Amino acid sequence: MVLAVTVLTSFDEKTCEEIYSRKPLDQVRALEAVAAKAGVHGFVCSPEEVSELRSFGKILVTPGVRSPGADKGDQKRVDTPHAAVERGANYLVMGRQIVGAPDPVAEVRRVLTDELGISI
């Protein structure tokens, strides 16, 4: 499976405009058109762009997902696990929050049950 990376979640609007001369959503749309034409199976995009890309019927992987109140680190365009799933994300990337937790397994279970309402 091939996934196309859109705009990095560590880019805020200003950085995106400096690099691409476009706002993040406009750049995501431009990259989506090129990648879809090439036949990709999905996209890696911030939770902020999931709703826009959902209509294309592709797999959506969202880095920049953090629990409410969790440290964002260098991530600029982030959202909660619940919001990312509500917007249509298929897969969530929560690496730092999970790996940096005192008990990573307990943190995954907490996110699944408390934030996403998934019984495990």
Side-chain angles (χ1 to χ4, degrees):
M1 193 175 308
V2 176
L3 301 176
V5 176
T6 60
V7 176
L8 300 178
T9 54
S10 59
F11 289 3
D12 59 12
E13 188 170 308
K14 180 182 177 198
T15 302
C16 190
E17 287 180 357
E18 287 173 359
I19 293 171
Y20 299 113
S21 299
R22 292 186 176 127
K23 294 183 184 300
L25 185 55
D26 294 333
Q27 182 61 21
V28 167
R29 288 174 177 148
L31 293 170
E32 180 280 326
V34 172
K37 190 174 181 179
V40 300
H41 300 99
F43 301 96
V44 178
C45 63
S46 91
E48 293 179 4
E49 286 92 38
V50 169
S51 297
E52 177 76 18
L53 295 176
R54 180 78 275 147
S55 64
F56 296 105
K58 305 284 186 179
I59 293 168
L60 299 174
V61 177
T62 57
V65 176
R66 301 285 191 274
S67 293
D71 181 25
K72 294 181 183 178
D74 67 342
Q75 302 298 291
K76 307 293 189 250
R77 295 176 6 267
V78 301
D79 213 335
T80 65
H82 180 75
V85 169
E86 285 289 309
R87 290 178 179 189
N90 299 103
Y91 298 96
L92 309 179
V93 179
M94 298 181 69
R96 292 177 202 167
Q97 179 178 333
I98 304 298
V99 174
D103 183 345
V105 173
E107 180 64 359
V108 169
R109 287 185 176 138
R110 186 196 66 74
V111 169
L112 290 172
T113 58
D114 296 354
E115 295 185 46
L116 294 174
I118 297 172
S119 298
I120 53 171

